[in-house]
Coordinates of all heavy atoms in Angstrom, one line a residue:
Chain B
R225 N -15.0 39.6 13.9 CA -14.0 40.2 13.0 C -14.2 41.7 12.9 O -13.2 42.4 12.9 CB -14.0 39.5 11.7 CG -13.2 38.2 11.6 CD -13.7 37.3 10.5 NE -15.1 37.4 10.4 CZ -15.8 37.7 9.3 NH1 -15.1 38.0 8.2 NH2 -17.1 37.7 9.3
L287 N -42.0 45.4 5.3 CA -42.5 44.4 6.3 C -43.9 44.0 6.0 O -44.3 42.9 6.3 CB -42.3 45.0 7.7 CG -40.8 45.1 8.1 CD1 -40.7 46.0 9.3 CD2 -40.2 43.8 8.4
V569 N -16.5 66.5 -17.8 CA -15.2 66.0 -17.3 C -14.2 65.9 -18.5 O -14.5 65.3 -19.5 CB -15.3 64.7 -16.6 CG1 -14.0 64.1 -16.2 CG2 -16.2 64.8 -15.3
A843 N -7.5 21.4 -31.1 CA -6.3 22.3 -30.8 C -5.7 21.9 -29.5 O -4.5 21.9 -29.3 CB -6.8 23.7 -30.8
A868 N 25.8 8.2 -25.8 CA 26.6 8.3 -27.0 C 28.1 8.5 -26.7 O 28.9 8.1 -27.5 CB 26.1 9.5 -27.9

Side-chain angles (χ1 to χ4, degrees):
Chain B
R225 280 161 314 126
L287 293 165
V569 171

